[in-house]
Amino acid sequence: MNIYKINNIAELIKDNSYVGRGIVIGKSENGKSAVTAYFIMGRSANSRNRIFTEKNGEIFTEPFDASKVEDPSLIIYAAVRANGNNLIVTNGDQTDTIYEGLENGLCFSKALESRCFEPDEPNFTPRISGMLTFDNNDFSYQMSILKSLDAEGSDCARYSFSYPSKAGLGHFIHTYVCDGNPIPTFQGEPERVMIPNCIEEFSNSLWNALDENNKISLYVRYTDLETGKYEDKIINKNQ
């Protein structure tokens, strides 16, 4: 087994019907761009009734049809927010927890100590989070997963990962291993994945590999490390 293998993300997920929600962070192959992606999948009508929208550079999940919303508590939130030289991306309202923590002088992992997995027994969906920190025309990044310690949801296990940026390398963390009942949570370290230079190539490859029945939305951002300007792409199954 080659522990340093860099995988094609499409190959990792193409035959997996349900990886849940996923975050990718890394640097483009040419070293010019900081890259982050976030996607959501869903099995229930409530989860599938969503789209990504952009407001002032921030990304939100919103209902596609407001009349069909059953419970907005775990499905409507800010997914991507910037705070100073930090870009935060998460699968829940812990985006705001990290943002507010930074405002109060806390670091990424300390801010998340006040949170745990989602209260959706028996799945106890993990909270996954990432943050890019830009400095001197480069960046580093952190990732986190908060998940149930046991099948009863008696306590929370917190895992944090910190990475320097390396050209062509990204890390991919997602909420679930695969479909199931209950759904098995992600295990181990974030997976190593290739990051191409082209946002269209990366976005289309990722979107097309996600299960057609369960995919909902994808957001991808490429930030030019020299200028700080970014290009982004939103794909919503519900149009």
Side-chain angles (χ1 to χ4, degrees):
M1 179 180 179
N2 181 6
I3 62 172
Y4 297 112
K5 179 183 178 182
I6 302 178
N7 302 283
N8 182 320
I9 192 169
E11 293 297 317
L12 288 179
I13 64 178
K14 68 176 183 178
D15 296 319
N16 190 335
S17 64
Y18 204 59
V19 292
R21 287 167 273 175
I23 295 172
V24 183
I25 303 176
K27 182 184 278 186
S28 61
E29 190 175 13
N30 60 14
K32 294 182 178 180
S33 300
V35 177
T36 189
Y38 175 56
F39 66 79
I40 57 175
M41 304 179 77
R43 301 189 305 174
S44 69
N46 193 45
S47 290
R48 291 178 174 179
N49 180 35
R50 287 186 288 175
I51 57 173
F52 283 166
T53 61
E54 181 174 7
K55 299 176 183 177
N56 300 318
E58 299 181 342
I59 303 302
F60 296 84
T61 61
E62 291 190 349
F64 174 63
D65 184 343
S67 68
K68 295 181 179 179
V69 174
E70 299 169 14
D71 177 8
S73 62
L74 295 176
I75 65 168
I76 306 301
Y77 52 87
V80 179
R81 297 186 69 185
N83 180 290
N85 65 329
N86 300 297
L87 183 67
I88 306 160
V89 53
T90 89
N91 74 327
D93 62 9
Q94 73 268 25
T95 305
D96 297 333
T97 303
I98 297 168
Y99 185 98
E100 292 161 7
L102 295 175
E103 290 287 291
N104 291 313
L106 298 178
C107 66
F108 174 77
S109 57
K110 279 290 184 182
L112 285 167
E113 286 183 0
S114 64
R115 304 304 302 271
C116 67
F117 50 87
E118 295 180 359
D120 59 340
E121 186 179 359
N123 297 316
F124 301 117
T125 299
R127 292 189 185 273
I128 54 172
S129 307
M131 187 173 78
L132 299 80
T133 300
F134 296 91
D135 186 45
N136 294 323
N137 296 332
D138 207 348
F139 73 104
S140 58
Y141 56 101
Q142 300 172 73
M143 304 183 95
S144 165
I145 183 167
L146 312 178
K147 60 183 184 177
S148 180
L149 191 64
D150 51 38
E152 291 70 43
S154 67
D155 212 333
C156 182
R158 296 177 170 85
Y159 301 87
S160 295
F161 307 90
S162 181
Y163 302 100
S165 63
K166 297 293 181 182
L169 174 64
H171 288 88
F172 172 40
I173 193 167
H174 41 102
T175 52
Y176 307 125
V177 175
C178 58
D179 206 347
N181 188 24
I183 317 172
T185 62
F186 180 88
Q187 302 293 314
E189 296 181 19
E191 296 163 312
R192 295 160 59 90
V193 295
M194 295 180 285
I195 305 293
N197 296 328
C198 176
I199 188 172
E200 291 292 334
E201 176 188 349
F202 185 54
S203 301
N204 292 335
S205 175
L206 178 51
W207 180 251
N208 291 335
L210 291 169
D211 182 78
E212 182 63 30
N213 293 323
N214 293 321
K215 65 184 178 183
I216 300 170
S217 296
L218 168 66
Y219 176 74
V220 180
R221 179 183 296 202
Y222 273 54
T223 302
D224 187 300
L225 290 170
E226 185 175 346
T227 66
K229 295 180 180 179
Y230 67 85
E231 178 183 6
D232 61 358
K233 184 178 180 68
I234 293 175
I235 303 176
N236 288 313
K237 187 174 182 179
N238 296 314
Q239 297 290 344

